[in-house]
């Protein structure tokens, strides 16, 4: 197991700059963001331009990362694979297939994505559509030696009323999506506000053998504010989809998750993937320097729990 970071929050830096910085901060692996070039959201970086990605591009990336003692834990593009607009859904699927092709050229085992949801339809209709459309994507990946993983982020910001819009948010859905060929990219920060015990859920997923990758993000909950707003968050006074009013994401070490128990559960189960810090902390964000400091705080928290590993000749 290696400690890594998801590059998405570092869109102001190039992959070359991240590769030079990460080992100095205590990281050994990168979960590389691969949104389409030109994505404008702060957490949708394009550190791999997968459109037209070639064997020569893969060789260049491997040489860069090898030179800094880094590996790639996953290629990540979290689009809405069940989008209600057929043209947009097709665009998402085409880009996801390009991410799979790039991962195959790099020798990377995993591509992380979302299941998504057509928010104009009931969940039951979405489940049926997923069962019809998504096995083609997981099969495309499997044919190239890659496993598609769905992250358990609810993506409530995609829904007009703040309800879950990524059908991978609960252990029940993890079992369902495994039947479609997906593994799980487990992020414990999304579970407490849904009333799900993150450790119990993790142990269930580990027993099921579906965990391929782990993201490390923490959460801070204000229980008194939850009493005011309810589990779905602010209604009349919400300023943005993420302005829920009673919880917020934090870097590991600044929230309330028990990382000692989470990491121990991974080791106890023989998990052989990586743990990548995902930075969405509003306190340690806003500027590049504060974001990097948040990454340092996360490494300081997790590094004692995940010893440095040395793999001679390791590449991406």
């Amino acid at each position: 197991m290696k400690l890594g970071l998801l590059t998405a929050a570092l869109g102001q830096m190039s992959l070359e700059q991240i590769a030079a910085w990460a080992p100095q901060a205590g990281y050994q692996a990168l979960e590389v963001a691969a949104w389409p070039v030109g994505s404008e959201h702060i957490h949708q970086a394009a550190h791999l331009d997968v459109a037209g990605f070639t064997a020569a591009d893969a060789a260049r990336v491997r040489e860069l990362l090898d030179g800094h003692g880094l590996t790639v834990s996953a290629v990540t593009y979290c689009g809405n694979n069940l989008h209600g607009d057929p043209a947009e859904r097709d665009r998402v699927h085409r880009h996801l297939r390009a991410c799979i092709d790039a991962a195959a050229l790099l020798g990377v085992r995993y591509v992380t994505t979302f299941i998504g949801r057509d928010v104009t339809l009931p969940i039951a209709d979405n489940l049926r559509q997923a069962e019809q459309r998504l096995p083609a994507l997981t099969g495309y990946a499997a044919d190239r030696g890659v496993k598609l993983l769905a992250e358990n982020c609810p993506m409530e910001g995609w829904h007009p009323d703040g309800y879950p819009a990524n059908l991978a948010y609960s252990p029940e859905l993890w079992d369902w999506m495994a039947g479609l060929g997906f593994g799980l990219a487990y992020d414990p920060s999304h579970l407490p506000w849904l009333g799900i015990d993150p450790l119990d859920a993790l142990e269930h997923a580990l027993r099921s053998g579906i965990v391929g990758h782990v993201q490390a993000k923490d959460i801070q909950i204000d229980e008194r504010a939850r009493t005011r707003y309810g589990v779905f968050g602010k209604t009349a006074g919400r300023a943005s989809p993420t302005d829920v009013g009673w919880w917020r994401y934090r870097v590991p070490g600044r929230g309330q998750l028990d990382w000692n128990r989470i990491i121990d559960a991974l080791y106890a189960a023989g998990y052989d993937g990586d743990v990548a810090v995902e930075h969405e902390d509003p306190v340690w964000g806003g500027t590049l320097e504060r974001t990097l400091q948040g990454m340092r705080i996360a490494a300081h928290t997790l590094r004692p729990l995940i010893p440095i590993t040395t793999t001679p000749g390791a590449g991406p």
Side-chain angles (χ1 to χ4, degrees), residues 34-45:
W35 270 261
V37 173
S39 296
E40 296 179 355
H41 191 277
I42 189 172
H43 296 301
Q44 295 180 353

Side-chain angles (χ1 to χ4, degrees), residues 80-104:
N80 187 348
N81 285 298
L82 293 177
H83 199 286
D85 180 346
E88 174 63 14
R89 185 173 63 245
D90 181 65
R91 186 197 65 79
V92 171
H93 288 189
R94 283 188 281 109
H95 190 77
L96 183 59
R97 286 192 291 268
C99 288
I100 293 167
D101 292 339

Side-chain angles (χ1 to χ4, degrees), residues 168-193:
Y169 61 85
S170 71
E172 176 193 16
L173 290 165
W174 302 347
D175 294 336
W176 163 77
M177 71 192 195
L180 305 182
F182 286 90
L184 173 67
Y186 169 80
D187 183 336
S189 70
H190 300 301
L191 299 171
W193 77 265

